[in-house]
PDB file of all heavy atoms in Angstrom:
ATOM      1  N   ALA A   1     -35.973   4.835  -0.884  1.00 95.00           N
ATOM      2  CA  ALA A   1     -36.063   3.736   0.101  1.00 95.00           C
ATOM      3  C   ALA A   1     -36.148   4.354   1.495  1.00 95.00           C
ATOM      4  O   ALA A   1     -35.349   5.239   1.812  1.00 95.00           O
ATOM      5  CB  ALA A   1     -34.896   2.800  -0.037  1.00 95.00           C
ATOM      6  N   PHE A   2     -37.056   3.815   2.295  1.00 91.00           N
ATOM      7  CA  PHE A   2     -37.233   4.357   3.635  1.00 91.00           C
ATOM      8  C   PHE A   2     -37.393   3.218   4.623  1.00 91.00           C
ATOM      9  O   PHE A   2     -37.838   2.107   4.290  1.00 91.00           O
ATOM     10  CB  PHE A   2     -38.545   5.178   3.755  1.00 91.00           C
ATOM     11  CG  PHE A   2     -38.662   6.339   2.821  1.00 91.00           C
ATOM     12  CD1 PHE A   2     -39.385   6.213   1.652  1.00 91.00           C
ATOM     13  CD2 PHE A   2     -38.081   7.563   3.107  1.00 91.00           C
ATOM     14  CE1 PHE A   2     -39.513   7.293   0.778  1.00 91.00           C
ATOM     15  CE2 PHE A   2     -38.193   8.616   2.259  1.00 91.00           C
ATOM     16  CZ  PHE A   2     -38.932   8.468   1.121  1.00 91.00           C
ATOM     17  N   GLN A   3     -37.012   3.496   5.852  1.00 93.00           N
ATOM     18  CA  GLN A   3     -37.469   2.726   7.004  1.00 93.00           C
ATOM     19  C   GLN A   3     -38.076   3.726   7.994  1.00 93.00           C
ATOM     20  O   GLN A   3     -37.359   4.584   8.507  1.00 93.00           O
ATOM     21  CB  GLN A   3     -36.340   1.925   7.664  1.00 93.00           C
ATOM     22  CG  GLN A   3     -36.803   1.117   8.865  1.00 93.00           C
ATOM     23  CD  GLN A   3     -35.687   0.497   9.628  1.00 93.00           C
ATOM     24  OE1 GLN A   3     -34.633   0.136   9.096  1.00 93.00           O
ATOM     25  NE2 GLN A   3     -35.853   0.381  10.963  1.00 93.00           N
ATOM     26  N   VAL A   4     -39.329   3.611   8.231  1.00 93.00           N
ATOM     27  CA  VAL A   4     -40.023   4.582   9.092  1.00 93.00           C
ATOM     28  C   VAL A   4     -40.441   3.973  10.403  1.00 93.00           C
ATOM     29  O   VAL A   4     -40.508   2.719  10.530  1.00 93.00           O
ATOM     30  CB  VAL A   4     -41.274   5.188   8.384  1.00 93.00           C
ATOM     31  CG1 VAL A   4     -40.898   5.787   7.046  1.00 93.00           C
ATOM     32  CG2 VAL A   4     -42.334   4.107   8.149  1.00 93.00           C
ATOM     33  N   PRO A   5     -40.663   4.746  11.457  1.00 94.00           N
ATOM     34  CA  PRO A   5     -40.991   4.181  12.762  1.00 94.00           C
ATOM     35  C   PRO A   5     -42.245   3.280  12.685  1.00 94.00           C
ATOM     36  O   PRO A   5     -43.231   3.596  12.070  1.00 94.00           O
ATOM     37  CB  PRO A   5     -41.260   5.452  13.633  1.00 94.00           C
ATOM     38  CG  PRO A   5     -40.525   6.517  12.970  1.00 94.00           C
ATOM     39  CD  PRO A   5     -40.584   6.201  11.472  1.00 94.00           C
ATOM     40  N   THR A   6     -42.113   2.149  13.352  1.00 96.00           N
ATOM     41  CA  THR A   6     -43.229   1.173  13.410  1.00 96.00           C
ATOM     42  C   THR A   6     -43.173   0.402  14.743  1.00 96.00           C
ATOM     43  O   THR A   6     -42.064   0.141  15.258  1.00 96.00           O
ATOM     44  CB  THR A   6     -43.101   0.176  12.263  1.00 96.00           C
ATOM     45  OG1 THR A   6     -43.078   0.879  11.024  1.00 96.00           O
ATOM     46  CG2 THR A   6     -44.296  -0.781  12.226  1.00 96.00           C
ATOM     47  N   GLN A   7     -44.344   0.102  15.272  1.00 97.00           N
ATOM     48  CA  GLN A   7     -44.405  -0.693  16.494  1.00 97.00           C
ATOM     49  C   GLN A   7     -45.143  -1.981  16.205  1.00 97.00           C
ATOM     50  O   GLN A   7     -45.998  -2.061  15.339  1.00 97.00           O
ATOM     51  CB  GLN A   7     -45.098   0.065  17.613  1.00 97.00           C
ATOM     52  CG  GLN A   7     -44.370   1.295  18.064  1.00 97.00           C
ATOM     53  CD  GLN A   7     -45.064   1.986  19.230  1.00 97.00           C
ATOM     54  OE1 GLN A   7     -45.775   1.356  19.995  1.00 97.00           O
ATOM     55  NE2 GLN A   7     -44.844   3.288  19.348  1.00 97.00           N
ATOM     56  N   ALA A   8     -44.783  -3.039  16.908  1.00 98.00           N
ATOM     57  CA  ALA A   8     -45.444  -4.355  16.743  1.00 98.00           C
ATOM     58  C   ALA A   8     -45.507  -5.051  18.039  1.00 98.00           C
ATOM     59  O   ALA A   8     -44.721  -4.796  18.982  1.00 98.00           O
ATOM     60  CB  ALA A   8     -44.728  -5.169  15.701  1.00 98.00           C
ATOM     61  N   ARG A   9     -46.440  -6.023  18.158  1.00 98.00           N
ATOM     62  CA  ARG A   9     -46.612  -6.862  19.345  1.00 98.00           C
ATOM     63  C   ARG A   9     -46.626  -8.313  18.858  1.00 98.00           C
ATOM     64  O   ARG A   9     -47.274  -8.637  17.876  1.00 98.00           O
ATOM     65  CB  ARG A   9     -47.896  -6.557  20.085  1.00 98.00           C
ATOM     66  CG  ARG A   9     -48.196  -7.442  21.289  1.00 98.00           C
ATOM     67  CD  ARG A   9     -49.595  -7.207  21.808  1.00 98.00           C
ATOM     68  NE  ARG A   9     -49.768  -5.849  22.301  1.00 98.00           N
ATOM     69  CZ  ARG A   9     -50.658  -4.977  21.851  1.00 98.00           C
ATOM     70  NH1 ARG A   9     -51.518  -5.358  20.909  1.00 98.00           N
ATOM     71  NH2 ARG A   9     -50.782  -3.772  22.338  1.00 98.00           N
ATOM     72  N   VAL A  10     -45.886  -9.159  19.588  1.00 98.00           N
ATOM     73  CA  VAL A  10     -45.875 -10.595  19.289  1.00 98.00           C
ATOM     74  C   VAL A  10     -46.153 -11.348  20.588  1.00 98.00           C
ATOM     75  O   VAL A  10     -45.527 -11.052  21.603  1.00 98.00           O
ATOM     76  CB  VAL A  10     -44.550 -11.043  18.663  1.00 98.00           C
ATOM     77  CG1 VAL A  10     -44.503 -12.582  18.582  1.00 98.00           C
ATOM     78  CG2 VAL A  10     -44.327 -10.400  17.324  1.00 98.00           C
ATOM     79  N   ILE A  11     -47.069 -12.287  20.547  1.00 98.00           N
ATOM     80  CA  ILE A  11     -47.401 -13.114  21.728  1.00 98.00           C
ATOM     81  C   ILE A  11     -47.239 -14.575  21.322  1.00 98.00           C
ATOM     82  O   ILE A  11     -47.876 -15.074  20.388  1.00 98.00           O
ATOM     83  CB  ILE A  11     -48.852 -12.870  22.202  1.00 98.00           C
ATOM     84  CG1 ILE A  11     -49.096 -11.381  22.495  1.00 98.00           C
ATOM     85  CG2 ILE A  11     -49.115 -13.735  23.444  1.00 98.00           C
ATOM     86  CD1 ILE A  11     -50.522 -11.071  22.854  1.00 98.00           C
ATOM     87  N   LEU A  12     -46.304 -15.248  22.033  1.00 98.00           N
ATOM     88  CA  LEU A  12     -46.151 -16.700  21.894  1.00 98.00           C
ATOM     89  C   LEU A  12     -47.114 -17.325  22.912  1.00 98.00           C
ATOM     90  O   LEU A  12     -46.974 -17.125  24.132  1.00 98.00           O
ATOM     91  CB  LEU A  12     -44.722 -17.121  22.189  1.00 98.00           C
ATOM     92  CG  LEU A  12     -43.656 -16.495  21.295  1.00 98.00           C
ATOM     93  CD1 LEU A  12     -42.269 -16.849  21.745  1.00 98.00           C
ATOM     94  CD2 LEU A  12     -43.895 -16.821  19.831  1.00 98.00           C
ATOM     95  N   ARG A  13     -48.098 -18.074  22.411  1.00 98.00           N
ATOM     96  CA  ARG A  13     -49.235 -18.481  23.247  1.00 98.00           C
ATOM     97  C   ARG A  13     -49.127 -19.941  23.684  1.00 98.00           C
ATOM     98  O   ARG A  13     -48.448 -20.766  23.077  1.00 98.00           O
ATOM     99  CB  ARG A  13     -50.533 -18.268  22.445  1.00 98.00           C
ATOM    100  CG  ARG A  13     -50.591 -16.885  21.799  1.00 98.00           C
ATOM    101  CD  ARG A  13     -51.816 -16.695  20.989  1.00 98.00           C
ATOM    102  NE  ARG A  13     -52.979 -16.228  21.795  1.00 98.00           N
ATOM    103  CZ  ARG A  13     -54.023 -15.653  21.300  1.00 98.00           C
ATOM    104  NH1 ARG A  13     -54.187 -15.528  19.987  1.00 98.00           N
ATOM    105  NH2 ARG A  13     -54.995 -15.249  22.101  1.00 98.00           N
ATOM    106  N   ALA A  14     -49.825 -20.185  24.798  1.00 96.00           N
ATOM    107  CA  ALA A  14     -49.827 -21.547  25.376  1.00 96.00           C
ATOM    108  C   ALA A  14     -50.415 -22.582  24.445  1.00 96.00           C
ATOM    109  O   ALA A  14     -50.204 -23.784  24.598  1.00 96.00           O
ATOM    110  CB  ALA A  14     -50.589 -21.544  26.727  1.00 96.00           C
ATOM    111  N   SER A  15     -51.171 -22.157  23.456  1.00 96.00           N
ATOM    112  CA  SER A  15     -51.765 -23.047  22.484  1.00 96.00           C
ATOM    113  C   SER A  15     -50.709 -23.543  21.470  1.00 96.00           C
ATOM    114  O   SER A  15     -51.040 -24.420  20.606  1.00 96.00           O
ATOM    115  CB  SER A  15     -52.890 -22.369  21.736  1.00 96.00           C
ATOM    116  OG  SER A  15     -52.400 -21.214  21.009  1.00 96.00           O
ATOM    117  N   GLY A  16     -49.516 -23.011  21.525  1.00 96.00           N
ATOM    118  CA  GLY A  16     -48.535 -23.341  20.566  1.00 96.00           C
ATOM    119  C   GLY A  16     -48.522 -22.459  19.340  1.00 96.00           C
ATOM    120  O   GLY A  16     -47.789 -22.735  18.390  1.00 96.00           O
ATOM    121  N   ARG A  17     -49.359 -21.440  19.340  1.00 98.00           N
ATOM    122  CA  ARG A  17     -49.474 -20.523  18.253  1.00 98.00           C
ATOM    123  C   ARG A  17     -48.735 -19.203  18.582  1.00 98.00           C
ATOM    124  O   ARG A  17     -48.461 -18.925  19.747  1.00 98.00           O
ATOM    125  CB  ARG A  17     -50.913 -20.266  17.884  1.00 98.00           C
ATOM    126  CG  ARG A  17     -51.722 -21.556  17.586  1.00 98.00           C
ATOM    127  CD  ARG A  17     -53.124 -21.224  17.153  1.00 98.00           C
ATOM    128  NE  ARG A  17     -53.168 -20.555  15.882  1.00 98.00           N
ATOM    129  CZ  ARG A  17     -53.059 -21.140  14.695  1.00 98.00           C
ATOM    130  NH1 ARG A  17     -52.961 -22.458  14.637  1.00 98.00           N
ATOM    131  NH2 ARG A  17     -53.127 -20.469  13.567  1.00 98.00           N
ATOM    132  N   ALA A  18     -48.544 -18.390  17.578  1.00 98.00           N
ATOM    133  CA  ALA A  18     -48.004 -17.047  17.768  1.00 98.00           C
ATOM    134  C   ALA A  18     -49.012 -16.046  17.183  1.00 98.00           C
ATOM    135  O   ALA A  18     -49.627 -16.306  16.145  1.00 98.00           O
ATOM    136  CB  ALA A  18     -46.671 -16.870  17.092  1.00 98.00           C
ATOM    137  N   LEU A  19     -49.182 -14.948  17.899  1.00 98.00           N
ATOM    138  CA  LEU A  19     -50.065 -13.833  17.438  1.00 98.00           C
ATOM    139  C   LEU A  19     -49.209 -12.619  17.214  1.00 98.00           C
ATOM    140  O   LEU A  19     -48.433 -12.252  18.088  1.00 98.00           O
ATOM    141  CB  LEU A  19     -51.162 -13.558  18.464  1.00 98.00           C
ATOM    142  CG  LEU A  19     -51.992 -12.300  18.242  1.00 98.00           C
ATOM    143  CD1 LEU A  19     -52.845 -12.452  16.959  1.00 98.00           C
ATOM    144  CD2 LEU A  19     -52.876 -12.010  19.431  1.00 98.00           C
ATOM    145  N   VAL A  20     -49.372 -12.012  16.030  1.00 98.00           N
ATOM    146  CA  VAL A  20     -48.653 -10.778  15.731  1.00 98.00           C
ATOM    147  C   VAL A  20     -49.697  -9.677  15.439  1.00 98.00           C
ATOM    148  O   VAL A  20     -50.674  -9.907  14.694  1.00 98.00           O
ATOM    149  CB  VAL A  20     -47.792 -10.937  14.458  1.00 98.00           C
ATOM    150  CG1 VAL A  20     -46.796  -9.800  14.327  1.00 98.00           C
ATOM    151  CG2 VAL A  20     -47.084 -12.252  14.406  1.00 98.00           C
ATOM    152  N   GLN A  21     -49.514  -8.512  16.045  1.00 98.00           N
ATOM    153  CA  GLN A  21     -50.382  -7.403  15.845  1.00 98.00           C
ATOM    154  C   GLN A  21     -49.583  -6.158  15.491  1.00 98.00           C
ATOM    155  O   GLN A  21     -48.585  -5.843  16.116  1.00 98.00           O
ATOM    156  CB  GLN A  21     -51.220  -7.135  17.079  1.00 98.00           C
ATOM    157  CG  GLN A  21     -52.193  -8.235  17.421  1.00 98.00           C
ATOM    158  CD  GLN A  21     -53.012  -7.968  18.691  1.00 98.00           C
ATOM    159  OE1 GLN A  21     -52.489  -7.400  19.626  1.00 98.00           O
ATOM    160  NE2 GLN A  21     -54.266  -8.331  18.693  1.00 98.00           N
ATOM    161  N   CYS A  22     -50.089  -5.410  14.519  1.00 98.00           N
ATOM    162  CA  CYS A  22     -49.474  -4.160  14.107  1.00 98.00           C
ATOM    163  C   CYS A  22     -50.503  -3.286  13.434  1.00 98.00           C
ATOM    164  O   CYS A  22     -51.300  -3.790  12.604  1.00 98.00           O
ATOM    165  CB  CYS A  22     -48.248  -4.371  13.213  1.00 98.00           C
ATOM    166  SG  CYS A  22     -47.409  -2.838  12.692  1.00 98.00           S
ATOM    167  N   GLY A  23     -50.511  -2.027  13.756  1.00 97.00           N
ATOM    168  CA  GLY A  23     -51.511  -1.131  13.199  1.00 97.00           C
ATOM    169  C   GLY A  23     -51.127  -0.563  11.842  1.00 97.00           C
ATOM    170  O   GLY A  23     -51.256   0.657  11.628  1.00 97.00           O
ATOM    171  N   LEU A  24     -50.608  -1.393  10.995  1.00 95.00           N
ATOM    172  CA  LEU A  24     -50.502  -1.037   9.593  1.00 95.00           C
ATOM    173  C   LEU A  24     -51.387  -1.974   8.787  1.00 95.00           C
ATOM    174  O   LEU A  24     -52.103  -2.793   9.317  1.00 95.00           O
ATOM    175  CB  LEU A  24     -49.044  -1.018   9.104  1.00 95.00           C
ATOM    176  CG  LEU A  24     -48.133  -2.189   9.336  1.00 95.00           C
ATOM    177  CD1 LEU A  24     -48.520  -3.397   8.454  1.00 95.00           C
ATOM    178  CD2 LEU A  24     -46.706  -1.814   9.020  1.00 95.00           C
ATOM    179  N   GLN A  25     -51.358  -1.870   7.463  1.00 96.00           N
ATOM    180  CA  GLN A  25     -52.348  -2.480   6.630  1.00 96.00           C
ATOM    181  C   GLN A  25     -51.679  -3.383   5.588  1.00 96.00           C
ATOM    182  O   GLN A  25     -50.578  -3.108   5.166  1.00 96.00           O
ATOM    183  CB  GLN A  25     -53.203  -1.442   5.903  1.00 96.00           C
ATOM    184  CG  GLN A  25     -53.769  -0.365   6.728  1.00 96.00           C
ATOM    185  CD  GLN A  25     -52.787   0.606   7.330  1.00 96.00           C
ATOM    186  OE1 GLN A  25     -52.957   1.026   8.454  1.00 96.00           O
ATOM    187  NE2 GLN A  25     -51.702   0.968   6.575  1.00 96.00           N
ATOM    188  N   ASP A  26     -52.375  -4.414   5.188  1.00 96.00           N
ATOM    189  CA  ASP A  26     -51.992  -5.184   3.984  1.00 96.00           C
ATOM    190  C   ASP A  26     -52.956  -4.774   2.913  1.00 96.00           C
ATOM    191  O   ASP A  26     -54.120  -5.149   2.913  1.00 96.00           O
ATOM    192  CB  ASP A  26     -52.109  -6.678   4.260  1.00 96.00           C
ATOM    193  CG  ASP A  26     -51.516  -7.492   3.112  1.00 96.00           C
ATOM    194  OD1 ASP A  26     -51.483  -6.991   1.973  1.00 96.00           O
ATOM    195  OD2 ASP A  26     -51.088  -8.656   3.343  1.00 96.00           O
ATOM    196  N   ILE A  27     -52.479  -3.961   1.980  1.00 95.00           N
ATOM    197  CA  ILE A  27     -53.325  -3.408   0.923  1.00 95.00           C
ATOM    198  C   ILE A  27     -53.398  -4.324  -0.298  1.00 95.00           C
ATOM    199  O   ILE A  27     -53.774  -3.872  -1.371  1.00 95.00           O
ATOM    200  CB  ILE A  27     -52.873  -1.981   0.527  1.00 95.00           C
ATOM    201  CG1 ILE A  27     -51.428  -1.969   0.039  1.00 95.00           C
ATOM    202  CG2 ILE A  27     -53.038  -1.026   1.714  1.00 95.00           C
ATOM    203  CD1 ILE A  27     -50.972  -0.637  -0.460  1.00 95.00           C
ATOM    204  N   GLY A  28     -53.002  -5.600  -0.091  1.00 93.00           N
ATOM    205  CA  GLY A  28     -53.052  -6.509  -1.171  1.00 93.00           C
ATOM    206  C   GLY A  28     -51.653  -6.858  -1.676  1.00 93.00           C
ATOM    207  O   GLY A  28     -51.485  -7.600  -2.656  1.00 93.00           O
ATOM    208  N   THR A  29     -50.617  -6.343  -1.018  1.00 94.00           N
ATOM    209  CA  THR A  29     -49.251  -6.517  -1.519  1.00 94.00           C
ATOM    210  C   THR A  29     -48.495  -7.639  -0.861  1.00 94.00           C
ATOM    211  O   THR A  29     -47.392  -7.973  -1.285  1.00 94.00           O
ATOM    212  CB  THR A  29     -48.446  -5.214  -1.231  1.00 94.00           C
ATOM    213  OG1 THR A  29     -48.546  -4.884   0.172  1.00 94.00           O
ATOM    214  CG2 THR A  29     -49.025  -4.045  -2.036  1.00 94.00           C
ATOM    215  N   GLY A  30     -49.104  -8.305   0.149  1.00 95.00           N
ATOM    216  CA  GLY A  30     -48.440  -9.410   0.782  1.00 95.00           C
ATOM    217  C   GLY A  30     -47.780  -9.096   2.127  1.00 95.00           C
ATOM    218  O   GLY A  30     -46.944  -9.870   2.592  1.00 95.00           O
ATOM    219  N   THR A  31     -48.137  -7.972   2.744  1.00 97.00           N
ATOM    220  CA  THR A  31     -47.529  -7.572   4.026  1.00 97.00           C
ATOM    221  C   THR A  31     -47.735  -8.656   5.087  1.00 97.00           C
ATOM    222  O   THR A  31     -46.831  -8.943   5.874  1.00 97.00           O
ATOM    223  CB  THR A  31     -48.049  -6.226   4.501  1.00 97.00           C
ATOM    224  OG1 THR A  31     -47.804  -5.241   3.506  1.00 97.00           O
ATOM    225  CG2 THR A  31     -47.444  -5.758   5.809  1.00 97.00           C
ATOM    226  N   SER A  32     -48.932  -9.191   5.160  1.00 97.00           N
ATOM    227  CA  SER A  32     -49.239 -10.185   6.196  1.00 97.00           C
ATOM    228  C   SER A  32     -48.305 -11.387   6.040  1.00 97.00           C
ATOM    229  O   SER A  32     -47.844 -11.942   7.068  1.00 97.00           O
ATOM    230  CB  SER A  32     -50.696 -10.693   6.046  1.00 97.00           C
ATOM    231  OG  SER A  32     -51.604  -9.630   6.265  1.00 97.00           O
TER     232      SER A  32
END
């Protein structure tokens, strides 16, 4: 079991939505 360094960005937007960005991948496992 690991926890490795990761960075992320979250923007709460005026539209009432949230945007999340991270330079890792969802390889079909449900990460998103």
